[in-house]
Amino acid sequence: MRRFQEALAIFLAGCLVLTTVPGGLAFQSPPPPPPPMPVQGAQATPEQLQELVAPIALYPDSLVAQILAASIYPDQIVEADRWLQDHGNLKGAALAQAVDPQSWDPSVKALTAFPSVLANMDKNLSWTSSLGQAYVNQQADVMNAVQVMRQRAQAAGNLKSTPQERVYDNGPNIVIDPVAPDVVYLPQYDPWLVYGAPLAPWPGWYWYPGLYLTVPGIAFGLGFGIGFFGGFGWGWGHWGFDWGHRAILFNRGPYISRGNTFFNRNAFLRSPAARLNNRSEMFRGGGAFRGNAGAPRAGAFGGFNRGAAERGFSERGFRSFGGARGGGFHGGGGRR
């Protein structure tokens, strides 16, 4: 009887195991599959980046900084240019006060002091979007390209100090600043001829009236008054470069973008710990751009390929053309 009871107990225990273990296993979720690695797009070559920055490389430093930062926001560029067309009666202090409450990035607000520059970015939106994509993913390379083009223009005899701007060396870097503290003269030049050996023009490039020459050399024709914008936190004096770290400066610190149009491949591919400890990440526009769900956004543009989305933006720019607009007043000198 004792052996029978022991055998029965073992039998019942086995039945209990058989009935409970499968149920317990059923409540265990399988481990999630590892996330797929994103495909990293091709990086732009130095030659492509030099072609890309050619139209702006000879502008004063602070304006180049504003343009690079604003290129991350092509939608805001379009909106701000339309807004300026609708408010063409606003000038000087009235314009600055009306711009201040707008929701645009500080860089876009700053460019309203240069209506023709902003309009050029709108009309050449394929180029603008490619510039933004390159800045997000290859910031140091883009700034290297600016310096290379300045060196080429200097070697060709086309970049030197004038009554309108001061050109000088700061270590290995060439710096360009306006001479007058409250007026910025835009250099006018053919971006495909001014650097010595001719460059291939950007496909579909639109020659915005009043900004570009069609012959070699540099001229000055438009002076933009910036004094009315100086009292706002986004105005001219708040922008610059830290050329040593290849960084845009805003309010004396690294400019951090909050845009979500372009996907930062480099930041996504690095681990969070690496991003936290990599000082250069401070200067990369705020890391990978993410949507509401926290997933990386591929963005509107697929890289340095001048794709369909960029062409669509460019077509919007052409359709929006509202006439040439210059600066605050005319002045300056002739060609040099």
Side-chain angles (χ1 to χ4, degrees):
M1 180 61 67
R2 181 178 178 183
R3 290 181 178 179
F4 174 76
Q5 291 176 342
E6 291 176 351
L8 180 60
I10 294 174
F11 173 76
L12 293 175
C15 292
L16 181 62
V17 170
L18 293 176
T19 57
T20 57
V21 169
L25 293 177
F27 286 99
Q28 296 181 6
S29 300
M37 288 295 293
V39 178
Q40 185 170 7
Q43 297 283 86
T45 66
E47 293 74 20
Q48 288 174 321
L49 293 177
Q50 291 162 21
E51 175 192 2
L52 187 61
V53 304
I56 63 169
L58 303 186
Y59 285 177
D61 281 19
S62 293
L63 183 55
V64 176
Q66 293 169 12
I67 292 172
L68 289 178
S71 67
I72 304 174
Y73 302 90
D75 54 336
Q76 294 185 20
I77 291 291
V78 173
E79 181 181 349
D81 185 42
R82 306 305 191 275
W83 186 92
L84 281 180
Q85 292 180 30
D86 294 338
H87 296 80
N89 60 316
L90 296 176
K91 306 294 181 184
L95 174 60
Q97 290 171 2
V99 166
D100 188 51
Q102 302 300 319
S103 60
W104 310 322
D105 185 77
S107 60
V108 178
K109 291 182 180 182
L111 286 180
T112 61
F114 305 91
S116 55
V117 174
L118 186 66
N120 178 68
M121 295 178 72
D122 182 5
K123 306 310 174 285
N124 285 297
L125 213 54
S126 172
W127 167 81
T128 299
S129 62
S130 294
L131 185 66
Q133 183 79 296
Y135 171 74
V136 168
N137 287 284
Q138 297 177 254
Q139 178 172 310
D141 295 336
V142 168
M143 296 183 187
N144 287 339
V146 170
Q147 285 297 327
V148 168
M149 301 312 285
R150 289 181 175 184
Q151 292 166 5
R152 289 177 59 174
Q154 193 176 62
N158 291 324
L159 181 61
K160 61 188 73 172
S161 293
T162 69
Q164 295 82 19
E165 66 181 19
R166 187 165 67 103
V167 179
Y168 61 96
D169 294 335
N170 183 7
N173 301 301
I174 298 175
V175 177
I176 304 176
D177 287 329
V179 171
D182 57 351
V183 181
V184 177
Y185 290 94
L186 287 185
Q188 301 170 334
Y189 58 90
D190 186 323
W192 324 120
L193 295 179
V194 75
Y195 298 103
L199 297 173
W202 184 267
W205 180 257
Y206 175 74
W207 294 86
Y208 191 85
L211 280 185
Y212 300 102
L213 300 180
T214 56
V215 293
I218 297 180
F220 292 88
L222 296 177
F224 292 80
I226 57 174
F228 295 110
F229 296 79
F232 298 93
W234 40 265
W236 176 268
H238 296 268
W239 296 90
F241 273 107
D242 177 356
W243 285 113
H245 292 99
R246 292 299 191 254
I248 291 176
L249 297 180
F250 176 61
N251 286 333
R252 300 184 179 181
Y255 169 75
I256 304 298
S257 166
R258 304 303 177 189
N260 59 4
T261 299
F262 301 105
F263 170 44
N264 187 333
R265 298 183 301 266
N266 298 325
F268 182 84
L269 291 175
R270 290 197 295 268
S271 68
R275 292 199 302 270
L276 183 63
N277 293 314
N278 189 345
R279 186 174 186 272
S280 66
E281 188 61 28
M282 294 171 58
F283 307 130
R284 196 171 287 278
F289 302 123
R290 299 182 179 273
N292 293 335
R297 293 188 56 183
F301 311 108
F304 199 91
N305 58 7
R306 306 163 190 169
E310 293 167 311
R311 289 194 297 272
F313 262 123
S314 184
E315 290 170 1
R316 287 167 55 189
F318 278 117
R319 290 197 297 270
S320 73
F321 183 71
R325 297 193 305 280
F329 54 87
H330 292 271
R335 283 182 56 198
R336 62 171 169 82

